[in-house]
mmCIF file of all heavy atoms in Angstrom:
data_model
loop_
_atom_site.group_PDB
_atom_site.id
_atom_site.type_symbol
_atom_site.label_atom_id
_atom_site.label_comp_id
_atom_site.label_asym_id
_atom_site.label_seq_id
_atom_site.Cartn_x
_atom_site.Cartn_y
_atom_site.Cartn_z
ATOM 1 N N PRO B 205 -69.906 -176.090 -192.148
ATOM 2 C CA PRO B 205 -69.405 -176.579 -193.430
ATOM 3 C C PRO B 205 -68.004 -177.182 -193.309
ATOM 4 O O PRO B 205 -67.271 -176.898 -192.362
ATOM 5 C CB PRO B 205 -69.365 -175.318 -194.283
ATOM 6 C CG PRO B 205 -69.041 -174.235 -193.309
ATOM 7 C CD PRO B 205 -69.700 -174.635 -192.006
ATOM 8 N N ALA B 206 -67.646 -177.975 -194.288
ATOM 9 C CA ALA B 206 -66.280 -178.477 -194.405
ATOM 10 C C ALA B 206 -65.328 -177.325 -194.676
ATOM 11 O O ALA B 206 -64.226 -177.281 -194.139
ATOM 12 C CB ALA B 206 -66.204 -179.503 -195.537
ATOM 13 N N ALA B 207 -65.763 -176.411 -195.512
ATOM 14 C CA ALA B 207 -64.859 -175.349 -195.958
ATOM 15 C C ALA B 207 -65.636 -174.119 -196.370
ATOM 16 O O ALA B 207 -66.831 -174.178 -196.638
ATOM 17 C CB ALA B 207 -64.034 -175.837 -197.150
ATOM 18 N N ILE B 208 -64.920 -173.001 -196.380
ATOM 19 C CA ILE B 208 -65.386 -171.789 -197.048
ATOM 20 C C ILE B 208 -64.453 -171.578 -198.227
ATOM 21 O O ILE B 208 -63.234 -171.612 -198.066
ATOM 22 C CB ILE B 208 -65.358 -170.575 -196.096
ATOM 23 C CG1 ILE B 208 -66.393 -170.749 -194.984
ATOM 24 C CG2 ILE B 208 -65.574 -169.275 -196.855
ATOM 25 C CD1 ILE B 208 -66.445 -169.591 -193.974
ATOM 26 N N ILE B 209 -65.014 -171.409 -199.406
ATOM 27 C CA ILE B 209 -64.193 -171.193 -200.608
ATOM 28 C C ILE B 209 -64.452 -169.791 -201.128
ATOM 29 O O ILE B 209 -65.599 -169.347 -201.172
ATOM 30 C CB ILE B 209 -64.465 -172.256 -201.693
ATOM 31 C CG1 ILE B 209 -63.489 -172.082 -202.871
ATOM 32 C CG2 ILE B 209 -65.902 -172.251 -202.186
ATOM 33 C CD1 ILE B 209 -63.474 -173.256 -203.841
ATOM 34 N N LEU B 210 -63.392 -169.107 -201.497
ATOM 35 C CA LEU B 210 -63.570 -167.745 -201.990
ATOM 36 C C LEU B 210 -62.487 -167.359 -202.977
ATOM 37 O O LEU B 210 -61.399 -167.930 -203.000
ATOM 38 C CB LEU B 210 -63.581 -166.749 -200.820
ATOM 39 C CG LEU B 210 -62.342 -166.654 -199.918
ATOM 40 C CD1 LEU B 210 -61.281 -165.716 -200.514
ATOM 41 C CD2 LEU B 210 -62.767 -166.102 -198.554
ATOM 42 N N GLU B 211 -62.817 -166.391 -203.810
ATOM 43 C CA GLU B 211 -61.844 -165.662 -204.617
ATOM 44 C C GLU B 211 -61.645 -164.312 -203.926
ATOM 45 O O GLU B 211 -62.629 -163.669 -203.576
ATOM 46 C CB GLU B 211 -62.381 -165.408 -206.029
ATOM 47 C CG GLU B 211 -62.799 -166.644 -206.787
ATOM 48 C CD GLU B 211 -63.984 -166.367 -207.720
ATOM 49 O OE1 GLU B 211 -65.132 -166.297 -207.205
ATOM 50 O OE2 GLU B 211 -63.772 -166.200 -208.925
ATOM 51 N N THR B 212 -60.412 -163.861 -203.793
ATOM 52 C CA THR B 212 -60.210 -162.562 -203.146
ATOM 53 C C THR B 212 -60.684 -161.432 -204.063
ATOM 54 O O THR B 212 -61.152 -160.404 -203.594
ATOM 55 C CB THR B 212 -58.733 -162.326 -202.795
ATOM 56 O OG1 THR B 212 -58.004 -162.211 -204.015
ATOM 57 C CG2 THR B 212 -58.170 -163.474 -201.979
ATOM 58 N N VAL B 213 -60.554 -161.653 -205.358
ATOM 59 C CA VAL B 213 -61.165 -160.762 -206.344
ATOM 60 C C VAL B 213 -61.968 -161.659 -207.278
ATOM 61 O O VAL B 213 -61.408 -162.569 -207.893
ATOM 62 C CB VAL B 213 -60.117 -159.984 -207.173
ATOM 63 C CG1 VAL B 213 -60.817 -158.986 -208.095
ATOM 64 C CG2 VAL B 213 -59.108 -159.287 -206.275
ATOM 65 N N GLN B 214 -63.259 -161.442 -207.337
ATOM 66 C CA GLN B 214 -64.098 -162.289 -208.195
ATOM 67 C C GLN B 214 -63.987 -161.818 -209.632
ATOM 68 O O GLN B 214 -64.436 -160.717 -209.955
ATOM 69 C CB GLN B 214 -65.552 -162.213 -207.734
ATOM 70 C CG GLN B 214 -65.754 -162.739 -206.316
ATOM 71 C CD GLN B 214 -67.209 -162.708 -205.889
ATOM 72 O OE1 GLN B 214 -67.945 -161.772 -206.213
ATOM 73 N NE2 GLN B 214 -67.625 -163.726 -205.161
ATOM 74 N N GLY B 215 -63.418 -162.654 -210.483
ATOM 75 C CA GLY B 215 -63.202 -162.284 -211.872
ATOM 76 C C GLY B 215 -64.478 -162.353 -212.694
ATOM 77 O O GLY B 215 -65.016 -161.326 -213.113
ATOM 78 N N GLU B 216 -64.970 -163.574 -212.864
ATOM 79 C CA GLU B 216 -66.177 -163.742 -213.681
ATOM 80 C C GLU B 216 -67.376 -163.047 -213.044
ATOM 81 O O GLU B 216 -68.298 -162.635 -213.733
ATOM 82 C CB GLU B 216 -66.483 -165.228 -213.880
ATOM 83 C CG GLU B 216 -65.386 -166.017 -214.557
ATOM 84 C CD GLU B 216 -64.931 -165.365 -215.834
ATOM 85 O OE1 GLU B 216 -65.776 -165.170 -216.726
ATOM 86 O OE2 GLU B 216 -63.722 -165.027 -215.940
ATOM 87 N N GLY B 217 -67.332 -162.939 -211.717
ATOM 88 C CA GLY B 217 -68.480 -162.381 -210.989
ATOM 89 C C GLY B 217 -68.580 -160.872 -211.067
ATOM 90 O O GLY B 217 -69.509 -160.286 -210.506
ATOM 91 N N GLY B 218 -67.623 -160.237 -211.713
ATOM 92 C CA GLY B 218 -67.757 -158.783 -211.879
ATOM 93 C C GLY B 218 -66.611 -157.967 -211.296
ATOM 94 O O GLY B 218 -66.773 -156.793 -210.991
ATOM 95 N N ILE B 219 -65.422 -158.584 -211.153
ATOM 96 C CA ILE B 219 -64.247 -157.863 -210.623
ATOM 97 C C ILE B 219 -64.576 -157.238 -209.263
ATOM 98 O O ILE B 219 -64.362 -156.044 -209.018
ATOM 99 C CB ILE B 219 -63.729 -156.796 -211.625
ATOM 100 C CG1 ILE B 219 -63.582 -157.384 -213.034
ATOM 101 C CG2 ILE B 219 -62.377 -156.228 -211.170
ATOM 102 C CD1 ILE B 219 -62.525 -158.440 -213.191
ATOM 103 N N ASN B 220 -65.138 -158.069 -208.404
ATOM 104 C CA ASN B 220 -65.443 -157.622 -207.045
ATOM 105 C C ASN B 220 -64.258 -157.955 -206.154
ATOM 106 O O ASN B 220 -63.952 -159.123 -205.924
ATOM 107 C CB ASN B 220 -66.678 -158.354 -206.514
ATOM 108 C CG ASN B 220 -67.841 -158.299 -207.482
ATOM 109 O OD1 ASN B 220 -68.224 -157.223 -207.931
ATOM 110 N ND2 ASN B 220 -68.389 -159.457 -207.852
ATOM 111 N N ALA B 221 -63.602 -156.927 -205.652
ATOM 112 C CA ALA B 221 -62.437 -157.140 -204.797
ATOM 113 C C ALA B 221 -62.848 -157.059 -203.328
ATOM 114 O O ALA B 221 -63.379 -156.042 -202.881
ATOM 115 C CB ALA B 221 -61.365 -156.099 -205.097
ATOM 116 N N ALA B 222 -62.609 -158.137 -202.596
ATOM 117 C CA ALA B 222 -62.909 -158.118 -201.169
ATOM 118 C C ALA B 222 -61.907 -157.225 -200.454
ATOM 119 O O ALA B 222 -60.737 -157.156 -200.846
ATOM 120 C CB ALA B 222 -62.849 -159.526 -200.594
ATOM 121 N N ARG B 223 -62.367 -156.548 -199.396
ATOM 122 C CA ARG B 223 -61.439 -155.758 -198.586
ATOM 123 C C ARG B 223 -60.571 -156.698 -197.743
ATOM 124 O O ARG B 223 -60.987 -157.798 -197.388
ATOM 125 C CB ARG B 223 -62.235 -154.817 -197.679
ATOM 126 C CG ARG B 223 -62.845 -153.654 -198.472
ATOM 127 C CD ARG B 223 -63.906 -152.945 -197.667
ATOM 128 N NE ARG B 223 -65.045 -153.839 -197.419
ATOM 129 C CZ ARG B 223 -66.185 -153.449 -196.851
ATOM 130 N NH1 ARG B 223 -66.343 -152.183 -196.476
ATOM 131 N NH2 ARG B 223 -67.168 -154.305 -196.665
ATOM 132 N N MET B 224 -59.375 -156.229 -197.431
ATOM 133 C CA MET B 224 -58.452 -157.068 -196.663
ATOM 134 C C MET B 224 -59.043 -157.417 -195.295
ATOM 135 O O MET B 224 -58.890 -158.527 -194.806
ATOM 136 C CB MET B 224 -57.100 -156.366 -196.494
ATOM 137 C CG MET B 224 -56.379 -156.154 -197.827
ATOM 138 S SD MET B 224 -56.175 -157.678 -198.784
ATOM 139 C CE MET B 224 -56.424 -157.069 -200.459
ATOM 140 N N ASP B 225 -59.762 -156.469 -194.708
ATOM 141 C CA ASP B 225 -60.388 -156.722 -193.409
ATOM 142 C C ASP B 225 -61.441 -157.812 -193.486
ATOM 143 O O ASP B 225 -61.605 -158.595 -192.556
ATOM 144 C CB ASP B 225 -61.074 -155.439 -192.901
ATOM 145 C CG ASP B 225 -60.079 -154.561 -192.189
ATOM 146 O OD1 ASP B 225 -58.916 -154.996 -192.039
ATOM 147 O OD2 ASP B 225 -60.459 -153.448 -191.806
ATOM 148 N N TRP B 226 -62.138 -157.801 -194.572
ATOM 149 C CA TRP B 226 -63.173 -158.822 -194.770
ATOM 150 C C TRP B 226 -62.516 -160.197 -194.874
ATOM 151 O O TRP B 226 -62.973 -161.157 -194.253
ATOM 152 C CB TRP B 226 -63.979 -158.491 -196.030
ATOM 153 C CG TRP B 226 -65.168 -159.373 -196.258
ATOM 154 C CD1 TRP B 226 -66.423 -159.217 -195.722
ATOM 155 C CD2 TRP B 226 -65.237 -160.546 -197.097
ATOM 156 N NE1 TRP B 226 -67.249 -160.212 -196.172
ATOM 157 C CE2 TRP B 226 -66.558 -161.036 -197.011
ATOM 158 C CE3 TRP B 226 -64.320 -161.211 -197.907
ATOM 159 C CZ2 TRP B 226 -66.985 -162.170 -197.719
ATOM 160 C CZ3 TRP B 226 -64.737 -162.339 -198.602
ATOM 161 C CH2 TRP B 226 -66.051 -162.821 -198.512
ATOM 162 N N LEU B 227 -61.428 -160.272 -195.628
ATOM 163 C CA LEU B 227 -60.714 -161.554 -195.764
ATOM 164 C C LEU B 227 -60.215 -162.033 -194.402
ATOM 165 O O LEU B 227 -60.314 -163.216 -194.072
ATOM 166 C CB LEU B 227 -59.548 -161.414 -196.745
ATOM 167 C CG LEU B 227 -59.942 -161.163 -198.204
ATOM 168 C CD1 LEU B 227 -58.707 -160.812 -199.041
ATOM 169 C CD2 LEU B 227 -60.646 -162.392 -198.793
ATOM 170 N N LYS B 228 -59.676 -161.086 -193.632
ATOM 171 C CA LYS B 228 -59.199 -161.465 -192.291
ATOM 172 C C LYS B 228 -60.346 -161.965 -191.426
ATOM 173 O O LYS B 228 -60.193 -162.915 -190.662
ATOM 174 C CB LYS B 228 -58.559 -160.245 -191.619
ATOM 175 C CG LYS B 228 -57.115 -160.037 -192.021
ATOM 176 C CD LYS B 228 -56.540 -158.818 -191.295
ATOM 177 C CE LYS B 228 -55.277 -158.353 -191.995
ATOM 178 N NZ LYS B 228 -55.002 -156.926 -191.761
ATOM 179 N N LYS B 229 -61.471 -161.301 -191.546
ATOM 180 C CA LYS B 229 -62.630 -161.694 -190.743
ATOM 181 C C LYS B 229 -63.079 -163.107 -191.137
ATOM 182 O O LYS B 229 -63.384 -163.938 -190.275
ATOM 183 C CB LYS B 229 -63.773 -160.687 -190.964
ATOM 184 C CG LYS B 229 -64.950 -160.875 -190.023
ATOM 185 C CD LYS B 229 -64.585 -160.475 -188.596
ATOM 186 C CE LYS B 229 -65.515 -161.078 -187.564
ATOM 187 N NZ LYS B 229 -66.881 -160.568 -187.653
ATOM 188 N N ILE B 230 -63.087 -163.367 -192.425
ATOM 189 C CA ILE B 230 -63.479 -164.711 -192.890
ATOM 190 C C ILE B 230 -62.486 -165.737 -192.361
ATOM 191 O O ILE B 230 -62.881 -166.811 -191.877
ATOM 192 C CB ILE B 230 -63.537 -164.767 -194.440
ATOM 193 C CG1 ILE B 230 -64.624 -163.829 -194.992
ATOM 194 C CG2 ILE B 230 -63.766 -166.207 -194.919
ATOM 195 C CD1 ILE B 230 -66.041 -164.225 -194.682
ATOM 196 N N GLU B 231 -61.213 -165.411 -192.419
ATOM 197 C CA GLU B 231 -60.232 -166.362 -191.888
ATOM 198 C C GLU B 231 -60.485 -166.609 -190.400
ATOM 199 O O GLU B 231 -60.431 -167.743 -189.924
ATOM 200 C CB GLU B 231 -58.799 -165.855 -192.090
ATOM 201 C CG GLU B 231 -57.767 -166.922 -191.722
ATOM 202 C CD GLU B 231 -56.352 -166.375 -191.599
ATOM 203 O OE1 GLU B 231 -56.171 -165.291 -190.992
ATOM 204 O OE2 GLU B 231 -55.417 -167.024 -192.112
ATOM 205 N N SER B 232 -60.786 -165.557 -189.664
ATOM 206 C CA SER B 232 -60.973 -165.758 -188.220
ATOM 207 C C SER B 232 -62.238 -166.581 -187.956
ATOM 208 O O SER B 232 -62.280 -167.372 -187.011
ATOM 209 C CB SER B 232 -60.985 -164.424 -187.482
ATOM 210 O OG SER B 232 -62.246 -163.815 -187.592
ATOM 211 N N ILE B 233 -63.245 -166.407 -188.787
ATOM 212 C CA ILE B 233 -64.456 -167.244 -188.656
ATOM 213 C C ILE B 233 -64.088 -168.706 -188.907
ATOM 214 O O ILE B 233 -64.509 -169.611 -188.183
ATOM 215 C CB ILE B 233 -65.557 -166.756 -189.633
ATOM 216 C CG1 ILE B 233 -66.141 -165.421 -189.126
ATOM 217 C CG2 ILE B 233 -66.646 -167.805 -189.810
ATOM 218 C CD1 ILE B 233 -67.091 -164.742 -190.088
ATOM 219 N N CYS B 234 -63.280 -168.934 -189.941
ATOM 220 C CA CYS B 234 -62.829 -170.311 -190.228
ATOM 221 C C CYS B 234 -62.093 -170.895 -189.026
ATOM 222 O O CYS B 234 -62.327 -172.035 -188.638
ATOM 223 C CB CYS B 234 -61.928 -170.336 -191.455
ATOM 224 S SG CYS B 234 -62.833 -170.123 -192.991
ATOM 225 N N ARG B 235 -61.219 -170.117 -188.442
ATOM 226 C CA ARG B 235 -60.442 -170.635 -187.311
ATOM 227 C C ARG B 235 -61.360 -170.932 -186.128
ATOM 228 O O ARG B 235 -61.252 -171.966 -185.476
ATOM 229 C CB ARG B 235 -59.370 -169.614 -186.892
ATOM 230 C CG ARG B 235 -58.325 -169.313 -187.964
ATOM 231 C CD ARG B 235 -57.595 -170.545 -188.472
ATOM 232 N NE ARG B 235 -56.899 -170.259 -189.733
ATOM 233 C CZ ARG B 235 -57.130 -170.926 -190.855
ATOM 234 N NH1 ARG B 235 -57.990 -171.938 -190.902
ATOM 235 N NH2 ARG B 235 -56.472 -170.629 -191.953
ATOM 236 N N ARG B 236 -62.273 -169.996 -185.848
ATOM 237 C CA ARG B 236 -63.165 -170.156 -184.699
ATOM 238 C C ARG B 236 -64.011 -171.416 -184.810
ATOM 239 O O ARG B 236 -64.248 -172.122 -183.841
ATOM 240 C CB ARG B 236 -64.092 -168.928 -184.623
ATOM 241 C CG ARG B 236 -65.107 -169.048 -183.513
ATOM 242 C CD ARG B 236 -65.969 -167.792 -183.376
ATOM 243 N NE ARG B 236 -67.064 -168.078 -182.457
ATOM 244 C CZ ARG B 236 -68.216 -167.455 -182.432
ATOM 245 N NH1 ARG B 236 -68.427 -166.460 -183.271
ATOM 246 N NH2 ARG B 236 -69.161 -167.798 -181.573
ATOM 247 N N TRP B 237 -64.473 -171.721 -186.018
ATOM 248 C CA TRP B 237 -65.395 -172.837 -186.203
ATOM 249 C C TRP B 237 -64.713 -174.065 -186.778
ATOM 250 O O TRP B 237 -65.388 -175.019 -187.128
ATOM 251 C CB TRP B 237 -66.550 -172.409 -187.109
ATOM 252 C CG TRP B 237 -67.388 -171.346 -186.516
ATOM 253 C CD1 TRP B 237 -67.364 -170.013 -186.802
ATOM 254 C CD2 TRP B 237 -68.377 -171.509 -185.495
ATOM 255 N NE1 TRP B 237 -68.273 -169.351 -186.031
ATOM 256 C CE2 TRP B 237 -68.920 -170.231 -185.223
ATOM 257 C CE3 TRP B 237 -68.874 -172.618 -184.787
ATOM 258 C CZ2 TRP B 237 -69.912 -170.028 -184.276
ATOM 259 C CZ3 TRP B 237 -69.875 -172.414 -183.855
ATOM 260 C CH2 TRP B 237 -70.368 -171.139 -183.599
ATOM 261 N N ASP B 238 -63.404 -174.004 -186.930
ATOM 262 C CA ASP B 238 -62.685 -175.166 -187.437
ATOM 263 C C ASP B 238 -63.142 -175.558 -188.848
ATOM 264 O O ASP B 238 -63.408 -176.713 -189.146
ATOM 265 C CB ASP B 238 -62.893 -176.333 -186.464
ATOM 266 C CG ASP B 238 -61.807 -177.363 -186.601
ATOM 267 O OD1 ASP B 238 -60.750 -177.040 -187.163
ATOM 268 O OD2 ASP B 238 -62.024 -178.517 -186.170
ATOM 269 N N ILE B 239 -63.248 -174.526 -189.657
ATOM 270 C CA ILE B 239 -63.662 -174.681 -191.053
ATOM 271 C C ILE B 239 -62.424 -174.470 -191.912
ATOM 272 O O ILE B 239 -61.627 -173.573 -191.640
ATOM 273 C CB ILE B 239 -64.720 -173.598 -191.402
ATOM 274 C CG1 ILE B 239 -65.983 -173.793 -190.551
ATOM 275 C CG2 ILE B 239 -65.028 -173.569 -192.878
ATOM 276 C CD1 ILE B 239 -66.910 -172.573 -190.558
ATOM 277 N N LEU B 240 -62.240 -175.278 -192.954
ATOM 278 C CA LEU B 240 -61.084 -175.061 -193.822
ATOM 279 C C LEU B 240 -61.319 -173.860 -194.742
ATOM 280 O O LEU B 240 -62.421 -173.693 -195.277
ATOM 281 C CB LEU B 240 -60.790 -176.314 -194.663
ATOM 282 C CG LEU B 240 -59.804 -177.289 -194.018
ATOM 283 C CD1 LEU B 240 -60.288 -177.779 -192.676
ATOM 284 C CD2 LEU B 240 -59.531 -178.479 -194.926
ATOM 285 N N LEU B 241 -60.283 -173.076 -194.927
ATOM 286 C CA LEU B 241 -60.367 -171.919 -195.818
ATOM 287 C C LEU B 241 -59.683 -172.261 -197.140
ATOM 288 O O LEU B 241 -58.488 -172.550 -197.177
ATOM 289 C CB LEU B 241 -59.691 -170.700 -195.178
ATOM 290 C CG LEU B 241 -59.639 -169.437 -196.057
ATOM 291 C CD1 LEU B 241 -61.043 -168.952 -196.431
ATOM 292 C CD2 LEU B 241 -58.890 -168.317 -195.336
ATOM 293 N N ILE B 242 -60.475 -172.243 -198.208
ATOM 294 C CA ILE B 242 -59.942 -172.501 -199.550
ATOM 295 C C ILE B 242 -59.914 -171.191 -200.321
ATOM 296 O O ILE B 242 -60.960 -170.554 -200.476
ATOM 297 C CB ILE B 242 -60.818 -173.510 -200.328
ATOM 298 C CG1 ILE B 242 -60.978 -174.812 -199.536
ATOM 299 C CG2 ILE B 242 -60.246 -173.766 -201.718
ATOM 300 C CD1 ILE B 242 -61.997 -175.773 -200.159
ATOM 301 N N VAL B 243 -58.753 -170.786 -200.798
ATOM 302 C CA VAL B 243 -58.698 -169.636 -201.694
ATOM 303 C C VAL B 243 -58.532 -170.141 -203.120
ATOM 304 O O VAL B 243 -57.581 -170.861 -203.439
ATOM 305 C CB VAL B 243 -57.559 -168.661 -201.326
ATOM 306 C CG1 VAL B 243 -57.422 -167.578 -202.402
ATOM 307 C CG2 VAL B 243 -57.848 -167.997 -199.981
ATOM 308 N N ASP B 244 -59.526 -169.816 -203.942
ATOM 309 C CA ASP B 244 -59.442 -170.156 -205.358
ATOM 310 C C ASP B 244 -58.698 -169.006 -206.028
ATOM 311 O O ASP B 244 -59.282 -167.960 -206.321
ATOM 312 C CB ASP B 244 -60.858 -170.318 -205.915
ATOM 313 C CG ASP B 244 -60.854 -170.583 -207.417
ATOM 314 O OD1 ASP B 244 -59.819 -170.343 -208.066
ATOM 315 O OD2 ASP B 244 -61.882 -171.011 -207.953
ATOM 316 N N ASP B 245 -57.406 -169.207 -206.236
ATOM 317 C CA ASP B 245 -56.561 -168.159 -206.828
ATOM 318 C C ASP B 245 -56.269 -168.466 -208.300
ATOM 319 O O ASP B 245 -55.242 -168.055 -208.831
ATOM 320 C CB ASP B 245 -55.251 -168.064 -206.019
ATOM 321 C CG ASP B 245 -54.979 -166.630 -205.557
ATOM 322 O OD1 ASP B 245 -55.869 -165.766 -205.711
ATOM 323 O OD2 ASP B 245 -53.873 -166.368 -205.030
ATOM 324 N N VAL B 246 -57.197 -169.168 -208.920
ATOM 325 C CA VAL B 246 -57.002 -169.553 -210.318
ATOM 326 C C VAL B 246 -56.862 -168.325 -211.205
ATOM 327 O O VAL B 246 -55.955 -168.261 -212.036
ATOM 328 C CB VAL B 246 -58.158 -170.471 -210.789
ATOM 329 C CG1 VAL B 246 -58.143 -170.630 -212.302
ATOM 330 C CG2 VAL B 246 -58.061 -171.839 -210.104
ATOM 331 N N GLN B 247 -57.734 -167.345 -210.986
ATOM 332 C CA GLN B 247 -57.652 -166.157 -211.839
ATOM 333 C C GLN B 247 -56.878 -165.021 -211.172
ATOM 334 O O GLN B 247 -56.099 -164.332 -211.810
ATOM 335 C CB GLN B 247 -59.061 -165.667 -212.222
ATOM 336 C CG GLN B 247 -59.029 -164.525 -213.224
ATOM 337 C CD GLN B 247 -60.325 -164.305 -214.011
ATOM 338 O OE1 GLN B 247 -60.611 -163.201 -214.415
ATOM 339 N NE2 GLN B 247 -61.098 -165.351 -214.253
ATOM 340 N N ALA B 248 -57.074 -164.846 -209.869
ATOM 341 C CA ALA B 248 -56.444 -163.708 -209.179
ATOM 342 C C ALA B 248 -55.010 -163.990 -208.746
ATOM 343 O O ALA B 248 -54.280 -163.067 -208.369
ATOM 344 C CB ALA B 248 -57.290 -163.309 -207.973
ATOM 345 N N GLY B 249 -54.593 -165.256 -208.821
ATOM 346 C CA GLY B 249 -53.253 -165.614 -208.377
ATOM 347 C C GLY B 249 -52.195 -165.395 -209.454
ATOM 348 O O GLY B 249 -52.445 -164.778 -210.488
ATOM 349 N N CYS B 250 -50.990 -165.913 -209.195
ATOM 350 C CA CYS B 250 -49.875 -165.812 -210.142
ATOM 351 C C CYS B 250 -49.598 -164.351 -210.508
ATOM 352 O O CYS B 250 -49.317 -164.038 -211.677
ATOM 353 C CB CYS B 250 -50.132 -166.644 -211.394
ATOM 354 S SG CYS B 250 -50.302 -168.398 -211.041
ATOM 355 N N GLY B 251 -49.718 -163.473 -209.527
ATOM 356 C CA GLY B 251 -49.311 -162.096 -209.725
ATOM 357 C C GLY B 251 -50.360 -161.151 -210.247
ATOM 358 O O GLY B 251 -50.120 -159.938 -210.322
ATOM 359 N N ARG B 252 -51.499 -161.648 -210.595
ATOM 360 C CA ARG B 252 -52.529 -160.816 -211.226
ATOM 361 C C ARG B 252 -52.838 -159.555 -210.413
ATOM 362 O O ARG B 252 -53.064 -158.478 -210.979
ATOM 363 C CB ARG B 252 -53.775 -161.690 -211.455
ATOM 364 C CG ARG B 252 -55.012 -161.053 -211.995
ATOM 365 C CD ARG B 252 -54.851 -160.249 -213.271
ATOM 366 N NE ARG B 252 -54.306 -160.963 -214.414
ATOM 367 C CZ ARG B 252 -53.914 -160.337 -215.538
ATOM 368 N NH1 ARG B 252 -54.008 -159.008 -215.647
ATOM 369 N NH2 ARG B 252 -53.400 -161.028 -216.539
ATOM 370 N N THR B 253 -52.842 -159.666 -209.084
ATOM 371 C CA THR B 253 -53.182 -158.492 -208.266
ATOM 372 C C THR B 253 -51.946 -157.773 -207.722
ATOM 373 O O THR B 253 -52.057 -156.867 -206.908
ATOM 374 C CB THR B 253 -54.087 -158.887 -207.077
ATOM 375 O OG1 THR B 253 -53.327 -159.764 -206.226
ATOM 376 C CG2 THR B 253 -55.346 -159.603 -207.537
ATOM 377 N N GLY B 254 -50.752 -158.260 -208.124
ATOM 378 C CA GLY B 254 -49.540 -157.565 -207.712
ATOM 379 C C GLY B 254 -48.612 -158.389 -206.839
ATOM 380 O O GLY B 254 -47.409 -158.132 -206.776
ATOM 381 N N THR B 255 -49.174 -159.360 -206.151
ATOM 382 C CA THR B 255 -48.352 -160.302 -205.380
ATOM 383 C C THR B 255 -48.589 -161.683 -205.972
ATOM 384 O O THR B 255 -49.595 -161.903 -206.645
ATOM 385 C CB THR B 255 -48.767 -160.297 -203.902
ATOM 386 O OG1 THR B 255 -50.199 -160.445 -203.842
ATOM 387 C CG2 THR B 255 -48.360 -159.001 -203.230
ATOM 388 N N PHE B 256 -47.660 -162.637 -205.693
ATOM 389 C CA PHE B 256 -47.864 -163.935 -206.332
ATOM 390 C C PHE B 256 -49.225 -164.505 -205.961
ATOM 391 O O PHE B 256 -50.027 -164.862 -206.825
ATOM 392 C CB PHE B 256 -46.756 -164.934 -205.987
ATOM 393 C CG PHE B 256 -46.931 -166.226 -206.742
ATOM 394 C CD1 PHE B 256 -46.532 -166.322 -208.068
ATOM 395 C CD2 PHE B 256 -47.570 -167.325 -206.162
ATOM 396 C CE1 PHE B 256 -46.734 -167.489 -208.807
ATOM 397 C CE2 PHE B 256 -47.787 -168.488 -206.896
ATOM 398 C CZ PHE B 256 -47.363 -168.564 -208.210
#
Side-chain angles (χ1 to χ4, degrees):
Chain B
I208 293 180
I209 186 167
L210 60 84
E211 304 147 282
T212 67
V213 185
Q214 298 182 322
E216 301 309 302
I219 312 294
N220 310 308
R223 287 165 295 187
M224 296 306 143
D225 275 356
W226 187 85
L227 293 171
K228 276 181 197 155
K229 189 70 200 294
I230 296 292
E231 188 193 44
S232 80
I233 288 172
C234 286
R235 297 304 164 238
R236 176 176 170 204
W237 296 102
D238 202 18
I239 297 165
L240 269 59
L241 177 61
I242 304 172
V243 172
D244 176 344
D245 233 9
V246 167
Q247 186 160 151
C250 298
R252 175 53 58 191
T253 64
T255 50
F256 185 80

